[in-house]
Amino acid sequence: MPVNLPEIVPASLTPIQGIRLGWAESNIKTQNRKDLLVIEICDGSAVSGVFTQNRFCAAPVTLCKKHLDAVKNNATTGGNVSGIKALVVNTGNANAGTGEQGMLDALTTCQHLAEIMAIPVESILPFSTGVILEHLPMDKLLAGLPLAVTNLTTDNWADAASAIMTTDIAPKAYATQVKVGGESINITGISKGAGMIHPNMATMLGYVATDANITQSLLDSMTKEIADLSFNCISVDGDTSTNDSFIVIATGKSNAVAITSPNDKGYQEVFDALLETSQYLAKAIVRDGEGATKFITVTVKGALSIDEAKTIGFSIGKSPLVKTAMFASDPNLGRVLAAIGYASRECDSLADLDTNQLELYFGGLLVAEKGGRAASYKEDEGQAIMNEAEIDITVQLHRGNEESTIWTCDFSYDYVKINAEYRT
Amino acid sequence: MPVNLPEIVPASLTPIQGIRLGWAESNIKTQNRKDLLVIEICDGSAVSGVFTQNRFCAAPVTLCKKHLDAVKNNATTGGNVSGIKALVVNTGNANAGTGEQGMLDALTTCQHLAEIMAIPVESILPFSTGVILEHLPMDKLLAGLPLAVTNLTTDNWADAASAIMTTDIAPKAYATQVKVGGESINITGISKGAGMIHPNMATMLGYVATDANITQSLLDSMTKEIADLSFNCISVDGDTSTNDSFIVIATGKSNAVAITSPNDKGYQEVFDALLETSQYLAKAIVRDGEGATKFITVTVKGALSIDEAKTIGFSIGKSPLVKTAMFASDPNLGRVLAAIGYASRECDSLADLDTNQLELYFGGLLVAEKGGRAASYKEDEGQAIMNEAEIDITVQLHRGNEESTIWTCDFSYDYVKINAEYRT
């Protein structure tokens, strides 16, 4: 079961004016499950995305980037809106490592949806998640599209969260609201992902919508910043998938004032609420990490740069030895220290890290300093912290003022089981 | 059981003139097992070492480096010999993350051995392997030293291989011979390691001795080159340990001519034999990798640089998703392609890798090309290759002339079991 991930309450997922969602059961990989999602976006919305950095990026990711560029360069859509009118997401098949046929399949999907919805083909962003290297079953997928469109409603967020799951145990959704100048701004989002999770990006999809009125260029920079503080701070297994995508939509339907620059009234509140939503959805992926029994937060402070802090955080958070020790509730400080020590492999500035200066904490408990176990440390106190389902690890480097937090989970028998049996 | 690792045959491990080995059971962690090893090295030997790059390097590693420098700077030992006269290795405790006390313990170990053997303290190199962050049980260790010295003989290589094991299932040793100008040169080596294995270095110890006559400075460069082609090409879990050390000893007792430069007669033969021994010992560690059921060789060809090739090799070889698929004998090409695709995270020049140009082979079978599955590929043929205990993966990038090979193992239930239960 996911680690401390509350069940979603459909009624709490506030509809976002200008967004309708529709799903279908199109039998792409499994019978009788929601596996196709269409998100309709009203005219005048800003839409921003960040995508996997995997060189083997999937066909739909390539097409997403192309369509985002195409509509941005189309003068008729204006500079403050994206021109994107629909997203289409299938689960069960990632359409990755599928060569030219894969590109054609992604394009055909968009073309069919464009006809059904009577919108331009380049106004559609396609997404796929699931098994790699298999061609999409196009007949099933195309047959599902009209059903999903017929199905479009504003209050379908919970179903949408279910429709994009792969090895996820639980659907992931979050909603929040802020007031700006007395007017409400709503934010609702969904995500999926459980394995092949590592930043930039992971086998994950994240969609966050708000009715705030945000200009396209500002939403672009906000989306990048938010991704770096949420989805790019999680790791389940260190694998970066071919399909990861994170999309933020601002429909502008709220009555609150438009936000056009970081200095505008409401900017900070909306940024914080988008970040809160995105961090919740990112952490939900880790809580539902394949085989996860622990949710682990690693914070590295006192670094010379955010890169140093993040590299050490992920060095701890990716270490199979640390993660198996966490699974065993074993306060094995040695493995954590070893992972700190070898982080210099991936960050040159750490070559002069003085391990005698740093402090390591489990929860609030000082466990190591001066190059070894803290004199005050008692194993039973460390054990008590490890027994919890939520474990905080903090490293204070004492060499600068930058810090970073990453989230990860433990490494269990079930991780091996799930991934050894996934295709069978 | 280790994957295709032949049992060692003690009689095949040729003694090296000038080297004697002695062991003791000193109850450091476990009763009634060999856990302390002394290697005596005759005067006039050249001794070279490469060590972990972990910033949390263990006290004995720090002292090894200091002693190697000290004797090299001591004019009385001459420029062509190391001045190193003994190695002392304990298992059961790594003396890592032990702060100032750890340094004192390593030094005390050397001092006691120096008295017993009547040699200078700085002529001794200490090594420890085992649990991190615990202080050495010095009374037990010091009590064992005289026993190990009493025990010194030339034909103890098999016992020595056993005396340095930690979570290893099987001892690891190898011997070979070459003829140079009609005279025999013998090479015999041992290694240990099973977990926390990743290059530069791993939780591994390797000791290779030869009776070849090689000058100190030449042996230094040969040792570095050989480490890069053997122990630095293996990964079990991507964790780099605090204690890794690889030592090459050349006693000069063979009747063959001295080797003072790479152009000398016999250089290439001796280099190749040292490399053969070191690669065997490195691969033996992977064959005995924690929980390993498969031995996987990843070769990347056609790269712009060795760094590119090695980065992609390890990206595949470290991926938990690839490794769990291998455990399941699942020809999951998608996960291998994904791992190739995200290698650019760790090697900037791969940012322009054209995934449509590369070919992927399982064994001799072309499985992927042109960004997707090869048209000729049949899953049952891929399956047949995956069913084997030894699996070769080859990537042809078609962008340059450099190549690299790395060795790794699969990721099984037993890996989790071993590492979740190690300290209990």
Side-chain angles (χ1 to χ4, degrees), chain A residues 332 335, chain B residues 29 130-131 166-167 417-424:
Chain A
N332 195 321
R335 293 185 186 170
Chain B
K29 178 162 177 260
V131 177
T166 49
T167 57
K417 185 175 162 69
I418 291 163
N419 284 297
E421 296 177 357
Y422 181 46
R423 290 209 326 164
T424 56

Side-chain angles (χ1 to χ4, degrees), chain B residues 45-174:
Chain B
S45 296
V47 178
S48 298
V50 293
F51 300 95
T52 180
Q53 291 177 18
N54 195 309
R55 292 293 306 156
F56 252 105
C57 79
V61 170
T62 304
L63 202 57
C64 270
K65 291 180 184 169
K66 202 170 149 197
H67 285 183
L68 276 171
D69 283 349
V71 291
K72 270 185 198 170
N73 294 333
N74 185 341
T76 65
T77 60
N80 284 336
V81 297
S82 69
I84 298 297
K85 295 175 191 300
L87 314 182
V88 54
V89 193
N90 73 272
T91 183
N93 182 308
N95 191 13
T98 44
E100 285 182 23
Q101 182 66 44
M103 281 303 299
L104 196 63
D105 289 346
L107 187 59
T108 302
T109 306
C110 292
Q111 282 167 337
H112 275 245
L113 187 60
E115 274 180 41
I116 297 166
M117 297 181 73
I119 55 178
V121 65
E122 67 272 16
S123 74
I124 298 172
L125 301 182
F127 306 87
S128 296
T129 183
V131 177
I132 317 184
L133 267 178
E134 308 281 340
H135 289 297
L136 279 174
M138 288 303 290
D139 49 343
K140 294 177 182 175
L141 196 158
L142 297 182
L145 288 175
L147 302 173
V149 172
T150 308
N151 214 332
L152 287 167
T153 65
T154 58
D155 58 358
N156 245 350
W157 283 93
D159 284 338
S162 295
I164 62 174
M165 291 163 64
T166 49
T167 57
D168 305 61
I169 294 171
K172 297 159 185 75
Y174 190 78

Side-chain angles (χ1 to χ4, degrees), chain A residues 152-169:
Chain A
L152 287 167
T153 65
T154 59
D155 58 358
N156 244 351
W157 284 92
D159 284 338
S162 293
I164 62 175
M165 291 163 63
T166 49
T167 59
D168 306 61
I169 294 172

